[in-house]
């Protein structure tokens, strides 16, 4: 919560399906050869991560190996086929995804159904440890092995080699899987998905992308037989169009020998296919898009600019510009965060984005959600944010803040690099290769980006921002439940946009310096009265005279990382009003503290790794925080502040209720929404701790209800603090003694007498007024909680 998340993964910005990096003079243009077997670093001035082993077989099949021992023994195997729905021909829409399903249904070494038995024999779940996904331009198969010994690697690679060239595509299995695909298409159908398809058709008119939705269309899916699937399989599942990634605890020599064994004989069965022609953006006669979709439940307002770009290989110059763009993006999002926090703000969930789309188009945009009657005010605010940045750029204070944030992100990535998860590493490598971006280590990225960040000026960011917004026409989108006056709604939007151009643009003001008001600790620190060792699990428990309990477990599971949890009170089981837990949790998280707004606290934490969040669990309230080890004391300072001075801000309540209103409007037309408001409470005997009430009951909840429920727990409930991570127990004890040991004895406990009545033998039928033909059936039987581990495991097997 303390700041925007940031991952240094080739510095490519991903926003939904959008990501942007433009071409400048002097850049090396990338060839449009979709079957190129060159590695990104072979066509770049950047050096790859030295921990990676790159390989290429004689048939063009490529692989990347990365030894990594987090978690121990586990190995992630990803087979990337660099083809997706964009590679389909007319009449094949959905075949790439259909084929992804079919490779599991019988292959050279596994009859239909046997692949599931094989994974279960290893103690792996089908779907959890082996899975796949299809996008516009890739199909990725994933296998997670519980052990990296040679025999397990051999079997895992046998499975992937069958996916690659050994799928049987039996006609009987095609017919059986067709029903699954069509059911998935039906399940995916929603107001949001339909709006997405229409917006894509508007924005990318003239290109192939709107014509190739990943799920496909009914006509193609119903008619596709074995011959159609086989033809796509032979065209695109060829060795020179595949990349294998192995990350985990294994021996490099074993892996290379087995890769050669399983993949060196693979060959394409047909002539190499022609690469898809993405097409060109068609010039729009109007610059507005309107879609009345009342079942969306809210209105989305978007201002976006979209233009074409040439592809180019990765380079240090490209990375520098990408970093500058991310810095500008974060400054705008900081501004939006403050706007949304103000009382009376008409919108929620605003964000700004900028990045490449398929490395052929370039986009920048700003969007927010609002109610149907507030779209004008929302559009005016978003327009002001963009035009203000275009006219005046950014302030020195804003730039200084994001410099601290990005430099801290780089440092954190280096400090925790040794304990990155193998699954995440494999996914990152695939992402880089498919984006023609060089994979670098956190240390390499720090050397590359730190000077760029330090030397960035507001003039550089302002110039880049303006170039982004001059790369095409400004397009305005109003979609959802807003009713616009006819008969020409688009003209109505355009006229309103024209009127906004006459409004005055405010000059951005330098923000005042903030001081963290909680640093002074006027109380004498207290030492624990009792210490107990739990040697079997490596935990030390400290008990203080005031009732405070501290549990400490030192572990290098994540190097240089520390997690802290403050548990107190009774959680959801103490709630008396349905929906109050959701309201109260969000109000606390949006409020900051009683002294500092949330955005002010975020600003003060710029340059630190501190993150924190309030959560209401089933039987306790929890403040949860994390940081790198060097920031541990600052994390305790923040947790003390939010614990002892919780914020119950009226503007936070207003924002939460506004967001809830939009959520309820959406749930009203959706079967999954009714699951939360009608079915979950039904199975819990309509206990207020489960599910959500209907909107009128939720709307009646007040800020006073949340304060009355939580404040006694915050001020008087006993605390149990758990510290886990790369920290000495003595250090943890000293920090807890300093920031929490001085408190008076706490003994607040609410009397809880409610019991949950399971509706045995009862039935409930809920009707949803929706145009989407979907149903949900849920059956349940009474068991008990999950603390009996043996019983829980039997239930999971069942």
């Amino acid at each position: 919560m303390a700041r925007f998340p940031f991952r240094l993964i080739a510095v490519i910005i991903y926003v939904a399906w959008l990501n942007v990096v433009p071409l400048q003079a002097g850049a090396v243009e990338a060839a449009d050869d979709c079957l190129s077997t060159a590695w990104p670093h072979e066509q770049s001035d950047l050096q790859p991560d030295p921990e990676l082993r790159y390989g290429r077989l004689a048939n063009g099949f490529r692989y990347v190996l990365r030894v990594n021992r987090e978690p121990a023994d586990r190995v992630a195997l990803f087979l990337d086929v660099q083809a997706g729905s964009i590679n389909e021909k007319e009449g094949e829409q959905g075949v790439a995804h259909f084929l992804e399903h079919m490779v599991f249904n019988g292959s050279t070494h596994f009859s239909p159904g046997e692949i599931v038995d094989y994974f279960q024999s290893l103690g792996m779940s089908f779907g959890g440890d082996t899975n796949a996904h299809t996008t516009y331009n890739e199909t990725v198969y994933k296998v997670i092995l519980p052990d990296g010994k040679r025999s397990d690697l051999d079997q895992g690679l046998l499975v992937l080699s069958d996916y690659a060239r050994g799928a049987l595509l039996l006609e009987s299995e095609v017919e059986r899987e067709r029903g699954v695909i069509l059911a998935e298409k039906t399940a995916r159908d929603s107001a949001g998905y339909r709006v997405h398809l229409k917006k894509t058709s508007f924005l990318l008119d003239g290109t192939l992308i709107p014509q190739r939705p990943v799920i496909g269309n009914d006509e193609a899916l119903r008619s596709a037989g074995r011959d159609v699937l086989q033809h796509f399989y032979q065209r695109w599942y060829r060795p020179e169009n595949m990349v294998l990634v192995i990350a985990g605890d294994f021996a490099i020599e074993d892996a290379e020998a087995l890769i050669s064994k399983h993949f060196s004989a693979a060959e394409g069965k047909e002539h190499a296919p022609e690469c898809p022609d993405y097409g060109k953006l068609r010039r729009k006669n109007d610059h507005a898009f309107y879609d009345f979709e009342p079942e969306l439940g809210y209105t989305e307002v978007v201002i976006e600019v979209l233009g074409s770009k040439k592809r180019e290989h990765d380079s240090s110059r490209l990375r520098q510009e990408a970093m500058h763009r991310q810095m500008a993006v974060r400054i705008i999002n900081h501004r939006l965060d403050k706007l949304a926090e103000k009382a009376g703000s008409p919108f929620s969930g605003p964000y700004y984005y900028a990045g490449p789309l398929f490395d052929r188009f370039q986009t920048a945009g700003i969007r927010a959600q609002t109610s149907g009657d507030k779209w004008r005010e929302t559009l005016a605010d978003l327009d002001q944010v963009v035009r203000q940045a275009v006219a005046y750029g950014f302030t020195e204070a804003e730039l200084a803040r994001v410099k601290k944030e990005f430099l801290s992100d780089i440092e954190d990535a280096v400090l925790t690099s040794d304990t990155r998860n193998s699954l995440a590493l494999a996914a990152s490598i695939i992402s880089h290769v498919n984006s023609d971006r060089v994979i670098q280590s956190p240390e390499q990225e720090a050397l590359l980006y730190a000077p760029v960040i330090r030397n960035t000026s507001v003039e550089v960011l302002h110039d880049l921002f303006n170039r982004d917004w001059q790369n095409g026409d400004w397009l305005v989108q109003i979609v959802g439940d807003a009713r616009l006056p006819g008969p020409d709604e688009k003209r109505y939007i355009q006229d309103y946009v024209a009127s906004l151009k006459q409004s005055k643009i405010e000059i951005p003001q330098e923000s005042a310096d903030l001081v963290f008001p909680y640093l002074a600790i006027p109380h004498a620190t207290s030492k624990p009265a009792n210490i107990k060792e739990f040697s079997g699990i490596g935990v030390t428990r400290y008990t203080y005279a005031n009732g405070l309990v501290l549990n400490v477990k030192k572990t290098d599971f994540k190097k240089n990382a520390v997690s802290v949890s403050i548990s107190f009170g009774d959680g959801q089981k103490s709630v008396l009003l349905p929906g109050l837990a959701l309201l109260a949790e969000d109000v606390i998280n949006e409020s900051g503290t009683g002294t500092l707004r949330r955005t002010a606290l975020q600003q003060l934490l710029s340059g630190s790794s501190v993150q924190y969040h309030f959560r209401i669990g089933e039987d306790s309230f929890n403040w949860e925080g994390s940081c790198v080890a060097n920031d541990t004391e600052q994390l305790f300072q923040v947790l003390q502040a939010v614990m002892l001075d919780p914020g119950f801000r009226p503007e936070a309540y207003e924002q939460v209720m506004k967001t809830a209103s939009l959520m309820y409007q959406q749930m009203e037309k959706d079967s999954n929404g009714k699951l939360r408001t009608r079915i979950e409470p039904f199975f819990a005997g309509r206990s207020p701790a489960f599910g959500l009430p209907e909107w009128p009951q939720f709307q009646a909840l007040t800020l006073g209800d949340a304060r009355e429920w939580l404040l006694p727990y915050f001020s008087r409930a006993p605390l149990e603090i758990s510290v886990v991570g790369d920290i000495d127990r003595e250090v943890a004890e000293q920090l807890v003694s300093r920031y929490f040991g001085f408190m008076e004895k706490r003994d607040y406990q609410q009397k809880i007498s409610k019991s949950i009545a399971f509706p045995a033998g009862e039935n409930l039928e809920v009707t949803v007024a929706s145009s989407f033909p979907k149903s949900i059936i849920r059956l349940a039987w009474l068991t008990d909680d999950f603390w009996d581990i043996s019983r829980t495991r039997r239930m999971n097997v069942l």
Side-chain angles (χ1 to χ4, degrees):
M1 174 172 174
R3 58 182 177 175
F4 290 95
F6 173 64
R7 295 297 303 272
L8 283 169
I9 300 177
V11 193
I12 300 169
I13 306 170
Y14 287 93
V15 183
W17 46 269
L18 301 172
N19 49 341
V20 172
V21 184
L23 184 73
Q24 283 188 350
V28 179
E29 186 175 336
D32 225 1
D33 182 2
C34 59
L35 294 175
S36 171
T37 59
W39 293 111
H41 62 268
E42 294 173 337
Q43 305 171 94
S44 172
D45 62 344
L46 297 169
Q47 295 301 310
D49 184 344
E51 295 295 321
L52 300 178
R53 174 77 69 90
Y54 291 89
R56 186 188 292 108
L57 302 181
N59 58 5
F61 185 86
R62 292 179 291 165
Y63 60 87
V64 186
L65 308 179
R66 173 61 156 87
V67 173
N68 185 65
R69 292 183 170 82
E70 182 55 53
D73 300 323
R74 286 292 181 95
V75 180
L77 289 78
F78 282 28
L79 177 66
D80 175 33
V81 182
Q82 295 182 310
S85 63
I86 203 74
N87 300 81
E88 296 163 351
K89 294 181 178 179
E90 191 62 34
E92 291 183 337
Q93 287 92 330
V95 166
H97 175 245
F98 200 151
L99 187 57
E100 173 216 307
H101 281 239
M102 285 302 303
V103 300
F104 297 105
N105 294 349
S107 59
T108 303
H109 297 93
F110 300 93
S111 300
E114 285 187 353
I115 194 72
V116 178
D117 296 336
Y118 160 66
F119 283 116
Q120 290 180 342
S121 73
L122 296 179
M124 300 159 61
S125 63
F126 187 78
D129 297 300
T130 179
N131 213 325
H133 73 258
T134 304
T135 69
Y136 284 101
N137 51 18
E138 70 176 13
T139 306
V140 180
Y141 299 93
K142 311 162 192 175
V143 173
I144 312 301
L145 297 176
D147 196 293
K149 61 180 180 288
R150 185 184 178 100
S151 58
D152 281 6
L153 271 179
D154 193 15
Q155 283 295 299
L157 290 172
L158 175 66
V159 171
L160 290 181
S161 67
D162 266 20
Y163 293 167
R165 298 302 301 166
L168 298 178
L169 306 179
L170 301 173
E171 195 67 59
S172 58
E173 294 298 313
V174 171
E175 292 306 315
R176 188 173 68 84
E177 198 66 29
R178 192 189 313 279
V180 176
I181 299 291
L182 291 170
E184 183 179 339
K185 185 175 183 297
T186 298
R188 188 175 298 189
D189 196 12
S190 65
Y193 182 66
R194 292 184 185 181
V195 164
H196 165 73
L197 293 179
K198 292 175 184 177
K199 288 169 60 177
T200 302
S201 295
F202 166 71
L203 290 168
L204 297 170
D205 183 32
T207 76
L208 191 60
I209 296 159
Q211 304 171 41
R212 298 292 184 267
V214 174
I215 195 63
N217 61 45
D218 283 347
E219 182 180 357
L221 292 174
R222 293 184 186 280
S223 63
R226 182 184 187 277
D227 56 337
V228 174
L229 293 166
Q230 182 77 16
H231 188 43
F232 188 91
Y233 190 52
Q234 299 291 5
R235 290 202 320 271
W236 293 107
Y237 280 57
R238 42 197 315 121
E240 69 270 31
N241 200 38
M242 296 181 186
V243 178
L244 173 70
V245 174
I246 306 180
D249 199 351
F250 66 98
I252 289 276
E253 296 75 14
D254 288 345
E256 290 200 304
L258 293 170
I259 291 169
S260 179
K261 169 186 172 181
H262 288 291
F263 293 96
S264 60
E267 59 181 359
K269 298 297 185 183
E270 296 184 3
H271 293 299
E274 291 185 7
C275 295
D277 180 1
Y278 279 71
K280 295 182 179 180
L281 292 172
R282 185 172 291 132
R283 179 78 178 185
K284 294 169 176 57
N285 295 323
D286 55 64
H287 301 151
F289 173 75
Y290 171 68
D291 182 36
F292 179 62
E293 180 53 80
E295 293 190 41
L296 191 62
Y298 58 86
T299 291
E300 185 177 56
V301 179
V302 185
I303 307 173
E304 189 166 22
V305 61
L306 182 68
S308 297
K309 68 178 290 290
K310 291 182 179 180
R311 298 181 66 200
E312 58 182 318
H313 297 305
D314 203 3
S315 66
S316 55
R317 184 210 57 78
L318 187 67
R319 296 292 187 91
Q320 176 176 318
E321 187 174 271
M323 174 55 76
H324 288 155
R325 180 168 285 106
Q326 288 198 51
M327 295 171 76
V329 164
R330 194 174 292 193
I331 290 174
I332 295 295
N333 277 314
H334 286 327
R335 290 183 179 181
L336 288 171
D337 213 15
K338 289 182 179 180
L339 270 179
E341 189 180 53
K342 287 184 177 179
S345 172
F347 53 78
S348 63
Y351 67 93
Y352 177 76
Y353 53 93
L357 176 61
F358 303 109
D359 204 22
R360 290 166 172 83
F361 313 104
Q362 176 180 318
T363 187
I366 188 169
R367 62 182 62 199
Q369 293 181 0
T370 187
S371 56
D373 60 339
K374 297 288 186 181
W375 71 268
R376 295 173 187 80
E377 297 93 323
T378 299
L379 181 57
D381 282 352
L382 298 185
D383 178 75
Q384 177 74 203
V385 170
V386 175
R387 290 199 295 129
Q388 182 186 57
V390 166
Y392 298 110
F394 310 106
T395 69
E396 293 291 348
E398 289 175 321
L399 177 59
R401 175 182 176 181
V402 298
K403 281 185 176 183
K404 288 194 296 182
E405 291 174 347
F406 277 90
L407 289 171
S408 175
D409 290 332
I410 291 171
E411 181 184 2
D412 297 352
V414 171
L415 290 172
T416 59
S417 63
D418 289 345
T419 48
R420 288 175 292 171
N421 183 275
S422 295
L423 190 64
L425 276 171
S428 173
I429 293 168
I430 291 289
S431 173
H432 279 74
V433 172
N434 281 340
S435 303
D436 190 25
R437 297 297 177 257
V438 179
I439 311 122
Q440 293 194 301
S441 68
E443 291 79 8
Q444 288 173 311
E445 290 181 329
L447 290 173
L448 174 66
Y449 295 126
V452 173
I453 295 167
R454 292 191 181 99
N455 295 326
T456 299
S457 67
V458 290
E459 291 79 14
V460 167
L461 297 191
H462 188 197
D463 178 67
L464 179 60
F465 189 89
N466 278 338
R467 282 192 282 116
D468 277 353
W469 283 90
Q470 292 166 3
N471 186 43
D473 297 318
W474 288 30
L475 309 173
V476 176
Q477 305 162 47
I478 310 293
V479 298
D481 58 359
R483 277 196 178 277
L484 272 60
D488 190 347
E489 294 91 349
K490 292 182 180 180
R491 172 55 59 185
Y492 184 82
I493 296 172
Q494 290 173 323
D495 289 345
Y496 181 67
V497 171
S499 71
L500 294 176
K501 304 307 179 188
Q502 309 305 315
S503 60
K504 181 182 177 182
I505 305 174
E506 300 293 334
I507 300 175
Q509 300 297 314
E510 293 281 4
S511 57
D513 291 336
L514 296 172
V515 177
F516 191 67
Y518 301 101
L519 294 180
I521 307 295
H523 311 276
T525 59
S526 300
K527 290 295 181 181
N530 181 266
I531 302 176
K532 184 176 181 180
E533 299 287 348
F534 296 87
S535 57
I537 56 175
V539 171
T540 304
R541 170 171 288 181
Y542 301 85
T543 304
Y544 292 73
N546 62 0
L548 173 68
V549 174
L550 166 64
N551 306 303
V552 183
K553 179 177 176 64
K554 179 177 174 61
T555 172
D556 59 359
F557 179 71
K558 289 187 177 181
K559 188 175 179 181
N560 286 307
V562 176
S563 295
V564 178
S565 174
I566 303 177
S567 178
F568 60 102
D570 302 304
Q572 291 179 6
K573 68 182 182 182
S574 66
V575 70
L576 299 176
L577 300 173
L580 184 57
L582 173 64
L583 173 71
E585 182 177 279
D586 287 350
V587 165
I588 291 292
N589 281 315
E590 290 296 321
S591 289
T593 71
T595 305
L596 290 170
R597 291 177 181 267
R598 178 178 61 86
T599 54
L601 189 49
Q602 286 180 330
Q603 185 174 340
L604 282 168
L605 291 173
S606 298
S608 84
S609 62
V610 170
Q611 299 189 45
Y612 61 98
H613 185 78
F614 179 65
R615 183 179 64 86
I616 299 179
E618 288 189 11
D619 54 10
S620 68
F621 305 104
N622 300 276
W623 274 111
E624 299 172 345
S626 63
C627 64
V628 297
N630 292 340
D631 292 336
T632 305
E633 181 162 13
Q634 188 173 34
L635 173 60
F636 272 100
Q637 292 169 354
V638 171
L639 291 177
Q640 185 208 54
V642 295
M643 185 73 231
L644 301 185
D645 186 24
F648 293 90
R649 294 182 175 276
E651 62 270 23
Y653 167 79
E654 177 187 316
Q655 181 72 12
V656 171
M657 292 302 288
K658 180 169 51 187
T659 302
S661 173
L662 301 179
M663 179 187 74
Y664 266 95
Q665 290 179 60
Q666 187 176 21
M667 290 196 303
E668 185 65 26
K669 305 290 185 179
D670 183 72
S671 54
N672 287 307
K674 290 297 182 182
L675 189 70
R676 297 190 67 187
T677 60
R678 297 289 304 280
I679 298 174
E680 287 180 4
F682 168 75
F683 279 118
R686 296 178 175 81
S687 165
F690 293 86
L692 292 174
E694 298 285 358
W695 171 241
Q697 193 172 2
F698 189 93
Q699 189 180 26
L701 296 172
T702 67
L703 183 61
D705 293 329
R707 184 187 291 108
E708 183 180 353
W709 176 40
L710 291 184
L711 202 53
Y713 283 113
F714 270 86
S715 58
R716 307 204 306 274
L719 306 181
E720 181 166 354
I721 302 177
S722 297
V723 182
V724 178
D726 197 356
I727 183 173
D728 293 332
R729 67 179 192 176
E730 294 80 11
V731 174
E733 181 269 316
Q734 290 169 8
L735 289 172
V736 169
S737 295
R738 182 181 308 157
Y739 289 99
F740 292 93
F742 65 84
M743 297 182 303
E744 295 181 358
K745 187 175 180 62
R746 290 167 160 244
D747 57 4
Y748 179 79
Q749 189 173 6
Q750 183 173 312
K751 188 175 181 179
I752 300 171
S753 59
K754 301 186 299 298
S755 61
I756 298 173
F758 182 72
E762 295 185 40
N763 295 320
L764 175 68
E765 182 174 323
V766 179
T767 302
V768 182
S770 172
S771 63
F772 305 103
K774 295 190 288 188
S775 299
I776 292 176
I777 298 175
R778 177 167 288 191
L779 306 176
W781 59 94
L782 186 64
T783 60
D784 208 332
D785 65 36
F786 60 86
W787 294 115
D788 183 333
I789 302 303
S790 177
R791 178 181 60 226
T792 297
R793 287 175 175 168
R794 293 197 303 274
M795 291 297 175
N796 285 334
V797 171
L798 180 63

